[in-house]
């Protein structure tokens, strides 16, 4: 059977491409060895947000007095939270299955392998069948990085060390959780377990948490969570995993920490091995499939979308890349732009950002104007929160007066950041932004306040 498009991987990159291409009338075969939805749906975005919401409600209940509401006997049932998480995931996986069916996509549950080309067609083998395709999309995702730490392998085998996957199924709250890596996964999970009662330590190799996010915001986030009780050990590397403890070393200290569970969250790497990528000669750079702005690889009619290209390892980047690849196959003009791609860390408060940081602009030597204000300028924020630390940082190009960066720390910012993303994508000037009517009262108005304070 000859297909218009063969897709390897059923995560947000793969299933979005299948849906869009199927709806455009293409004949699609999608191969997934595990569960449709990929990491995002099964062991990433959705399960973590489900669980974090329970923790948020628990926190609200414990602190309801601030809002003149008395609550008693507040308790947290971790096993029930895991159960609810599984239910939410199941429903959403069912939704993806339904979408595939409605879009006429043939889903093959199999560990498929690439076998180069037969004539002009790409060949994929699965379940003792051969599938031939005019186009190929590789959307095989990523897997946790396992660094060469002594005893880590044994720790992972015994369950003392877990990755982002296993931690979501812990039915008991660990008394002491140590997190290796203070990036996105590390911080979200540290936030969750701290809120529900674990004593949490985060060990981070760099001198700051939260990677390349705005330096002021990541410092504020660290201060907030230090006050809540998380211990951050920075500029430290874990060198050994022992029986019930880990050893870390920093410039002047070498110490051991006892823990009940250790979360390993030191990054992810693209999945480029084990399915015959070599058979096509697809170019790999830095461990990731090299793609251009149309998500094309070096081999004509072979595309790659999602974590496997090593660009922005985010579900929403993957789905947009998938759309760009499909549009290119369909002969429609489209291209990936990453400067409008938002990032979010779902801590409490949340961090959300889009566009350039001041550090990046300083490096480029590009002139800019910047303002940072607390969210107390927003009436809704004052009405609904306990006025935790917050920040709205807006960066504007000094020459053409367009918004080029927005960095937020506060409530609801994961929902607000798209506003700034569109402004950046559309290259809106301060004057144009000022003409937009924001609903009142909303926390989003903080952006409008900031713009007026910048330009008057
Ligand atoms: P990450 O790259 O965000 O953070 C890893 C951290 O570990 C870095 O700060 C790094 O300096 C540190 N590190 C590396 N080796 C270390 C060592 N030996 N000892 C101590 N620290 C060490 O990776 P993370 O958190 O594992 O997330 C993986 C991917 O998943 C990311 O690309 C992220 O974007 C994505 N993700 C996105 C989410 C979101 O959008 N909210 C949620 C969860 C994951």
């Amino acid at each position: 059977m000859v297909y218009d498009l063969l897709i390897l991987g059923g995560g947000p990159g793969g299933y979005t491409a299948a849906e869009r291409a199927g709806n455009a009338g293409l004949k699609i075969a999608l191969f997934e060895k595990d569960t449709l939805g990929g990491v995002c749906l099964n062991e990433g975005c959705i399960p973590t947000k489900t669980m974090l919401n329970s923790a948020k409600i628990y926190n609200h209940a414990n602190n309801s007095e601030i809002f003149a509401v008395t609550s008693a006997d507040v308790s947290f049932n971790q096993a029930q939270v895991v159960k609810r998480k599984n239910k939410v995931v199941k429903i959403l996986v069912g939704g993806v299955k339904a979408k595939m069916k409605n879009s006429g996509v043939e889903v093959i549950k199999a560990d498929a392998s690439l076998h180069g080309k037969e004539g002009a067609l790409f060949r994929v083998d699965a379940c003792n069948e051969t599938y031939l395709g005019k186009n190929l999309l590789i959307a095989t995702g990523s897997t946790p990085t396992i660094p060469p730490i002594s005893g880590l392998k044994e720790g992972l085998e015994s369950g003392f060390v877990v990755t982002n996957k296993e931690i979501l199924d812990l039915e008991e709250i660990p008394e002491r959780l140590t997190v290796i890596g203070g990036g996105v996964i590390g911080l979200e999970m540290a936030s969750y377990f701290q809120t529900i009662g674990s004593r949490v330590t985060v060990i981070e190799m760099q001198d700051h948490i939260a990677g390349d996010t705005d330096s002021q915001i990541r410092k504020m986030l660290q201060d907030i969570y230090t006050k809540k009780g998380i211990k951050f050990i920075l500029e430290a590397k874990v060198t050994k995993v022992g029986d019930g403890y880990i050893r870390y070393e920093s410039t002047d200290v070498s110490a051991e920490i006892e823990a009940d569970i250790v979360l390993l969250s030191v990054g992810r790497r693209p999945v480029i091995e084990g399915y015959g990528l070599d058979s096509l000669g697809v170019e790999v750079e830095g461990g990731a499939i090299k793609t251009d702005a149309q998500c094309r690889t070096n081999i004509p009619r072979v595309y790659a979308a999602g974590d496997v290209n090593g660009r922005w390892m985010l579900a929403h980047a993957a789905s947009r890349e998938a759309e760009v690849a499909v549009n290119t196959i369909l002969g429609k003009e489209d291209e990936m732009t990453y400067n409008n791609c938002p990032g979010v860390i779902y801590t409490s408060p949340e961090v959300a950002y889009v566009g350039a940081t001041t550090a990046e602009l300083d490096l480029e030597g590009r002139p800019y104007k910047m303002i940072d204000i607390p969210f107390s300028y927003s009436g809704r924020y004052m009405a609904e929160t306990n006025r935790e630390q917050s920040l709205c940082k807006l960066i504007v190009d000094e020459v053409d007066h367009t918004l080029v960066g927005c960095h937020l720390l506060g409530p609801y910012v994961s929902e607000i950041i798209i506003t700034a993303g569109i402004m950046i994508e559309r290259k809106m000037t301060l004057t144009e932004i000022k003409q937009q009517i924001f609903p009142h009262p909303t926390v989003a108005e903080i952006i409008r306040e900031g713009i007026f304070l910048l330009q008057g």
Side-chain angles (χ1 to χ4, degrees):
M1 179 90 76
V2 175
Y3 294 80
D4 293 309
L5 176 61
L6 302 176
I7 301 175
L8 285 191
Y15 75 69
T16 305
E19 185 187 4
R20 302 287 184 267
N23 290 346
L26 299 191
K27 188 163 175 49
I28 315 292
L30 181 148
F31 304 89
E32 171 56 59
K33 64 178 172 183
D34 208 332
T35 313
L36 278 177
V39 169
C40 162
L41 203 43
N42 295 286
E43 55 197 68
C45 317
I46 300 300
T48 52
K49 266 78 264 178
T50 311
M51 294 170 77
L52 279 162
N53 192 50
S54 289
K56 207 188 277 181
I57 291 168
Y58 182 55
N59 186 46
H60 280 170
N62 279 326
N63 296 288
S64 64
E65 302 265 329
I66 297 161
F67 303 98
V69 177
T70 307
S71 53
D73 299 331
V74 178
S75 64
F76 193 89
N77 188 329
Q78 170 71 359
Q80 278 301 116
V81 169
V82 171
K83 219 169 160 185
R84 177 172 179 273
K85 176 264 295 179
N86 291 340
K87 194 172 160 192
V88 170
V89 169
K90 199 173 164 198
I91 294 169
L92 289 173
V93 169
V96 175
K97 274 185 195 157
K99 274 184 175 179
M100 295 302 94
K101 194 167 171 236
N102 296 341
S103 307
V105 176
E106 194 177 324
V107 177
I108 298 114
K109 189 171 173 9
D111 198 350
S113 55
L114 279 169
H115 291 271
K117 282 169 85 174
E118 281 191 12
L121 301 173
F122 300 105
R123 177 179 158 185
V124 170
D125 282 4
C127 302
N128 301 320
E129 298 277 348
T130 290
Y131 297 80
L132 299 172
K134 296 176 191 162
N135 296 280
L136 174 70
L137 175 73
I138 301 165
T140 46
S142 64
T143 188
T145 304
I146 309 292
I149 297 173
S150 154
L152 181 58
K153 194 168 157 274
E154 292 78 5
L156 283 162
E157 276 163 12
S158 72
F160 173 53
V161 182
V162 293
T163 69
N164 64 295
K165 182 174 192 267
E166 300 80 40
I167 198 159
L168 301 176
D169 288 320
L170 292 183
E171 294 205 346
E172 277 178 27
I173 302 169
E175 211 177 300
R176 300 159 303 175
L177 171 72
T178 295
V179 177
I180 311 177
V184 196
I185 294 178
L187 291 173
E188 290 184 3
M189 286 296 96
S191 156
Y192 176 76
F193 283 98
Q194 183 277 325
T195 307
I196 65 171
S198 299
R199 270 188 286 141
V200 180
T201 304
V202 176
I203 301 181
E204 167 56 52
M205 211 163 70
Q206 300 186 63
D207 64 359
H208 60 267
I209 59 165
D212 292 335
T213 49
D214 176 84
S215 56
Q216 195 180 351
I217 285 182
R218 66 192 180 211
K219 180 77 184 72
M220 287 170 78
L221 187 69
Q222 186 184 330
D223 289 346
I224 290 167
Y225 273 98
T226 301
K227 277 201 195 102
K228 290 186 185 192
I230 294 183
K231 185 175 177 190
F232 291 96
I233 301 173
L234 303 181
E235 293 182 88
K237 259 187 114 166
V238 173
T239 52
K240 185 178 174 189
V241 173
D243 189 10
Y245 72 93
I246 58 157
R247 167 166 288 279
Y248 70 88
E249 274 163 39
S250 58
T251 34
D252 47 358
V253 181
S254 172
E256 278 171 14
I257 307 178
E258 289 186 354
D260 300 302
I261 289 284
V262 174
L263 169 66
L264 180 73
S265 49
V266 296
R268 298 180 64 87
R269 61 180 176 82
V271 175
I272 53 166
E273 278 162 1
Y275 55 90
L277 193 60
D278 296 352
S279 67
L280 282 169
V282 171
E283 190 180 350
V284 167
E285 194 176 69
I289 294 181
K290 196 175 165 193
T291 52
D292 65 8
Q294 276 70 37
C295 302
R296 293 178 292 215
T297 68
N298 61 315
I299 307 292
R301 293 179 288 112
V302 177
Y303 301 79
D307 288 10
V308 76
N309 68 22
R311 287 171 178 254
W312 284 64
M313 288 195 175
L314 298 169
H316 46 278
S319 41
R320 178 70 192 121
E321 285 166 350
E323 290 166 352
V324 168
V326 169
N327 283 338
T328 306
I329 291 169
L330 293 169
K332 293 182 189 168
E333 245 177 64
D334 202 356
E335 70 172 345
M336 262 322 276
T337 47
Y338 291 93
N339 67 337
N340 62 347
C341 180
V344 177
I345 309 176
Y346 291 84
T347 41
S348 288
E350 297 172 344
V351 174
Y353 51 89
V354 63
T357 60
T358 52
E360 285 163 358
L361 295 175
D362 287 341
L363 208 66
E364 278 178 41
R366 190 169 157 195
Y368 62 87
K369 280 202 296 187
M370 191 267 288
I371 189 162
D372 55 63
I373 53 170
F375 276 46
S376 43
Y377 281 85
S378 150
R380 174 115 187 261
Y381 169 81
M382 295 301 279
E384 290 193 5
T385 74
N386 190 29
R387 303 190 297 279
E388 232 174 1
Q389 266 188 291
S390 58
L391 196 78
C392 166
K393 183 177 281 192
L394 301 173
I395 309 168
V396 171
D397 185 295
E398 202 165 27
V399 179
D400 64 12
H401 309 291
T402 56
L403 185 70
V404 291
C406 174
H407 306 269
L408 305 171
L409 172 78
Y412 313 117
V413 296
S414 53
E415 300 289 346
I416 295 168
I417 197 67
I418 181 61
T419 316
I422 293 167
M423 290 168 180
I424 291 174
E425 168 66 13
R426 296 285 154 205
K427 296 190 170 38
M428 287 173 78
T429 61
L430 291 187
T431 306
E432 286 166 338
I433 295 171
K434 282 156 78 177
Q435 290 161 353
Q436 305 306 310
I437 301 173
F438 282 62
H440 175 77
T442 55
V443 176
E445 284 176 294
I446 194 66
I447 292 180
R448 193 171 150 80
E449 288 291 335
I451 295 290
F452 271 87
L453 285 167
L454 249 179
Q455 202 182 38

